[in-house]
Amino acid sequence: MASGSVIENLSTRKLCFLLLSLAVAQAVFFAVGALLAPVPSSSMEFEMVKCSDKTRGASGEWFYVRPQNCDLIEDLSTYTPQSFDLREIVFVAQMPHARSGLQLEYSPWFQFLLGLLHVEVEYSDHFKYVAGASLKLEVRMGVRSLAEGPEEWREYMETNVTRTLECTIDKNKRSEGNTYDCDTLDLFELGSNNYPFYLMNIRIPIDREACIRDASSPNCQIGKINSLNLVAIHQNGGFTMVWLWLKTLLSPIVIAAVYWFNRRLSLLPRQKLLLEKAILSLGVALIVLDAPIEWVSLFTKLPCLLLLSDLRQGLFYTVLFSFWLIFAGEHLIDDPQLNNLWSYRMNLSLVAVASLSLLIYDMAERGMQLADPFYSIWSSETGSAIAYISIYVALLCTLAYFAFLFYKIVVVWNSIRRKRAAHLYRTSENRRLKVEGVIYRFKFLMLFTLLCSALTIAAYFMRQFGEASLHGDSPDDSIMTHSTSAFFTGTFGMWNIYVLLLIAMYAPSHKEYAGSEGLVDESEDLISGERVESNLLTTFLKPATD
């Protein structure tokens, strides 16, 4: 008597019930995102108030507007500065807004806070703007808690920020009073939202001597600036709540399933097969992804939350992409290479290079932002070159990977079709019926794999494109600020369903069948060299020896 995996021994009735249950669960995930979760992110725009500081920063005081501590400058075009360096002009944004007489506040449920800056440059024949001008800002960020008074601001960060100001204007608008169309600049990004109130004080100083020595020095070619507009983007608290509860409910289920799968494998009188190890690794990666560590950020400061989320997502993508190659390859690989991870070294190298490239970019960007939230890898030529190289290398490897994966799946599919029509398993009615059932189940898994890979690719590029759009000129048009919640929750649920289905289908079965000895005997001629115990479909797809 011998036992196989669940995919071989599960009855059709139980299999249909399992698949129906998973289909209902998948529909629930999409419905939760569509009906319960708001859009992932929201934005709030601030036209920065202009204040006059006669001490030019020597006093160290904060300037704010609620309650007002600001010598207001109504219009910069009519304002006469007392000094050339312009440090007496302070641009002020107090976040969040007050609405209907009530002061709004940020919440830890918002998870992150992204600040973008739009500079309004007026065309001037006297103060000329030069393309690619270097803009240097002296920035102070203040914070206060609910327990502190409206005037008790504490310094969170003081730094100098340098960005490249890229602006364009039509030829027919090059006259006094018209404004340039300038790219939006990244200002800051906080990986967690730890304070209810934030205050920004920004100065744009000009060094006369530096401009005389070198006209391309910071702020010497930025033209005539009329105003600054700050856009603050945060994750919606309602979306965070739905996302967290999904993780909290799924996490123990996945942990229990992985534990059960590993225990079943450990009871077998053999070592784990490569495919089983790959499924186990995928389950562990899903546990890491599902872990609801965001709960911690609601009660304590966790500035590395955004970086941790990226690293967990990257780990899951890496293991998932690697698994797909092994899943397809283990049913086609030649006998001497059976159950050997080294035989996949060339295939997995694409995944490794892409993952490493994105890891370098992530650590260079969000890793540095842990120490300085105003840091941007795009603010220097060297940093921009590193970022572009990392992204392009990852993109090329990803495209090559999916082309190769599609090829592997096509080969597997054709092998099933050819073998099914051959006489290989027709010598025994028991064997024919057994393999027929397994083939249908494997085809379903392969179709589910194709669907999962397609939605995973879409989710990956939607997230990357959406986050890039948040940093672009029209953050309100980003897909992250539109109704994509159902897609994200649905895809997240699909990953969990896919991994749970693999665990359920490839776990060793406790059932034994009277005809199983005959099946083993008939498969012996299919395996050359050292005999390796594997599931029936893998054995079936092996090329017959002469």
Side-chain angles (χ1 to χ4, degrees), residues 370-441:
L370 294 178
D372 182 5
F374 292 89
Y375 172 83
S376 174
I377 193 174
W378 303 96
S379 61
S380 66
E381 292 185 4
T382 302
S384 297
I386 293 175
Y388 278 122
I389 291 173
S390 299
I391 292 173
Y392 288 150
V393 168
L395 179 61
L396 291 174
C397 289
T398 302
L399 293 176
Y401 163 83
F402 282 109
F404 182 74
L405 177 64
F406 181 78
Y407 163 76
K408 295 282 282 186
I409 291 176
V410 170
V411 173
V412 171
W413 201 267
N414 289 335
S415 296
I416 295 175
R417 181 175 53 82
R418 290 196 306 269
K419 292 289 187 178
R420 184 183 180 191
H423 67 279
L424 183 61
Y425 60 89
R426 295 188 183 276
T427 56
S428 168
E429 181 68 13
N430 192 1
R431 178 179 177 82
R432 185 185 68 81
L433 294 175
K434 185 85 170 171
V435 175
E436 281 280 0
V438 177
I439 286 176
Y440 286 130
R441 297 170 193 194

Side-chain angles (χ1 to χ4, degrees), residues 404-520:
F404 182 74
L405 177 64
F406 181 78
Y407 163 76
K408 295 282 282 186
I409 291 176
V410 170
V411 173
V412 171
W413 201 267
N414 289 335
S415 296
I416 295 175
R417 181 175 53 82
R418 290 196 306 269
K419 292 289 187 178
R420 184 183 180 191
H423 67 279
L424 183 61
Y425 60 89
R426 295 188 183 276
T427 56
S428 168
E429 181 68 13
N430 192 1
R431 178 179 177 82
R432 185 185 68 81
L433 294 175
K434 185 85 170 171
V435 175
E436 281 280 0
V438 177
I439 286 176
Y440 286 130
R441 297 170 193 194
F442 180 78
K443 281 186 174 181
F444 171 79
L445 282 177
M446 190 61 71
L447 288 173
F448 196 6
T449 297
L450 286 173
L451 176 62
C452 185
S453 61
L455 291 179
T456 299
I457 298 169
Y460 174 78
F461 282 104
M462 281 183 67
R463 184 174 291 276
Q464 298 300 317
F465 179 74
E467 291 184 358
S469 300
L470 287 180
H471 294 263
D473 296 331
S474 303
D476 289 337
D477 295 333
S478 170
I479 59 175
M480 298 294 288
T481 56
H482 287 80
S483 300
T484 55
S485 299
F487 183 82
F488 287 133
T489 57
T491 305
F492 179 72
M494 180 197 62
W495 291 334
N496 283 269
I497 290 173
Y498 180 68
V499 175
L500 291 175
L501 181 62
L502 288 170
I503 289 175
M505 298 293 273
Y506 279 90
S509 175
H510 65 279
K511 293 183 178 180
E512 294 180 342
Y513 295 89
S516 57
E517 287 186 358
L519 294 179
V520 173

Side-chain angles (χ1 to χ4, degrees), residues 329-345:
E330 276 300 278
H331 297 93
L332 294 172
I333 199 166
D334 293 334
D335 289 327
Q337 298 176 322
L338 178 64
N339 202 37
N340 183 6
L341 183 62
W342 182 249
S343 62
Y344 293 94
R345 61 189 182 278

Side-chain angles (χ1 to χ4, degrees), residues 91-104:
F91 295 86
V92 178
Q94 193 168 334
M95 306 179 290
H97 282 306
R99 184 174 297 169
S100 301
L102 296 176
Q103 174 63 63
L104 302 180

Side-chain angles (χ1 to χ4, degrees), residues 74-150:
E74 295 291 347
D75 189 352
L76 280 180
S77 61
T78 60
Y79 176 74
T80 303
Q82 299 179 354
S83 60
F84 183 82
D85 64 7
L86 301 183
R87 295 194 73 255
E88 64 197 75
I89 302 175
V90 184
F91 295 86
V92 178
Q94 193 168 334
M95 306 179 290
H97 282 306
R99 184 174 297 169
S100 301
L102 296 176
Q103 174 63 63
L104 302 180
E105 61 187 62
Y106 289 118
S107 166
W109 287 96
F110 293 170
Q111 296 294 286
F112 70 88
L113 186 62
L114 170 65
L116 307 175
L117 190 67
H118 182 263
V119 183
E120 184 177 304
V121 180
E122 181 181 334
Y123 183 86
S124 173
D125 292 326
H126 182 64
F127 300 101
K128 291 185 178 295
Y129 163 78
V130 178
S134 178
L135 175 66
K136 182 179 180 180
L137 308 173
E138 292 182 357
V139 181
R140 291 182 75 195
M141 174 182 277
V143 295
R144 68 179 179 88
S145 64
L146 291 172
E148 294 170 310

Side-chain angles (χ1 to χ4, degrees), residues 49-51 53 63 87-92 201-203:
V49 176
K50 298 169 283 290
C51 303
D53 176 21
F63 295 89
R87 295 194 73 255
E88 64 197 75
I89 302 175
V90 184
F91 295 86
V92 178
N201 282 188
I202 299 178
R203 304 173 193 262

